Amino acid sequence: MAFPKNFLWGGAVAANQCEGAYQEDGKGWSTQDVTPRGIVGPRTEEPTPDNMKLVGIDFYHRYQEDIKLFAEMGFKVFRTSIAWSRIFPKGDEEEPNEKGLKFYDDLFDECLRYGMEPLVTISHYETPLHLSKTYDGWVNRKMIGFYEKYVRVIFARYGSKVKYWLTFNEINSVLHQPFLSGGIFTEKEKLSPQDLYQAVHHEFVASALATKIAHEMMPEAKVGCMILSMPTYPLSPSPDDVIKVMESVHKNDFFGDVHVRGYYPGYMKRYFRENGIRIRMEPGDEEILKHTVDFVSFSYYMSVCDTADPAKQIQGQGNLMGGVPNPYLEASEWGWQIDPQGLRYVLNYYWDRYQKPLFIVENGLGAVDVPVERADGTKTVEDDYRIDYLRKHLLQVEEAIEDGVDVMGYTSWGCIDLVSASTAELKKRYGFIYVDRNDDGTGTLERYKKKSFYWYKDVIATNGEKLHE
Ligand code: BG6
């Protein structure tokens, strides 16, 4: 049997996409509270009622019911994030918000009650809005200090409950989505590569500092980086295309390389040199970067192609990064190209490159679900398409394990329906659990088990054997 006995099966969410309660118990506003259309629409001055995230799926009040359902599926791990603005509502105050801290105490206790390990993302696309507006987010070096204060508080508070930590969700996306990912208030068009790479440097230092502090304060803790992985294939075998792909892949590898190796790679130094970018480092930064991660985590949804031919440089639909569409692949309803083998490829690629344990912390299919009524009057969704997607991807995880890759676990994205990050819709559903809420705000918020719920439960119970049925 390929999956190791201690394989961490589970599911993943992020605070801003499910909790709601956007200003309850002292929470401050975050960047998510002013982006009712995700990355596809303008931000607003203040939270507006059309913003689905303000209520989310009301996880803040219903987490006990939801954790119970996850436990019923047999989850060994549950990935969620802490909303920074619940702990430090503005981000730059001296004292944390006790009620915010209490919420996560209760949430983690609930997970542990069922023997489920919390896997916690420290910053998942929700910078406190005050830090974004006042300091311009991560372009400002002061963010390192605010982040350090925040991590010291949460490590001290949850150190005995949480073993697995991720420093920044999809850290590489800041180059593409500076406001969503880095809380950078200045419009993307006005930001130079210098600004963006300086922001990246600040996040690197903050991430390494958090890793150092975590290891000092919680000797048992395991800290990972989190990368948006998207294998890039050459559109043709032309050496020009192959080199173009190598260069675009380097731009992504930069993030894992610094986190795992602890220094800036030569290919980036060349890029900076040739593009007039000078990263401002302070004495001690290079030393801090040497505090490298214990494992590498990543999201995987799709692959793309790249080409050196400008005429073929068509930007396909896709997640926060996108790329040239692959003529061999089909796509989801949202245009994300489906490539299960890409997951085996990326697992082998990272393993060959880093020799660090890998954790797939996001993977899944966003689709429109149609609830149906069973004979007994209860509701469900016959989501065979989701089962098919997940099964094909998990079989590739198994292949990678056979290849010798050290895979710690797999947390399927949006294990319960939640609000999409890119488009802020609820109709783009990923869950094993259906949530009765619609994009016009109607719905009872009741939860129903989809067909995939029972399937995933069997997958976990058989440690993957079910995948071969
Ligand atoms: C990742 C994010 O980019 O993809 C998640 O870490 C996000 O927050 C997920 O929800 C799926 O993307 P979307 O846009 O379909 O929600």
Side-chain angles (χ1 to χ4, degrees), residues 17 124 169-170 301 320 336 362 413 420-422 428 430:
Q17 292 171 255
H124 191 133
N169 184 61
E170 298 189 332
Y301 294 94
L320 306 173
W336 298 24
E362 285 187 33
W413 177 251
S420 134
S422 53
K428 187 180 188 187
Y430 285 86

Side-chain angles (χ1 to χ4, degrees), residues 82-84 87-88 96 101 104 108 120-123 147-160 162 165-166 217-218:
I82 294 177
W84 189 344
I87 310 303
F88 285 100
L101 285 166
Y104 294 104
F108 300 148
V120 173
T121 319
I122 296 169
S123 176
Y147 184 86
E148 179 182 351
K149 192 170 49 170
Y150 166 50
V151 301
R152 282 190 185 279
V153 166
I154 58 176
F155 290 166
R157 183 82 173 216
Y158 311 123
S160 61
V162 178
W165 298 88
L166 307 178
M217 292 178 67
M218 309 175 290

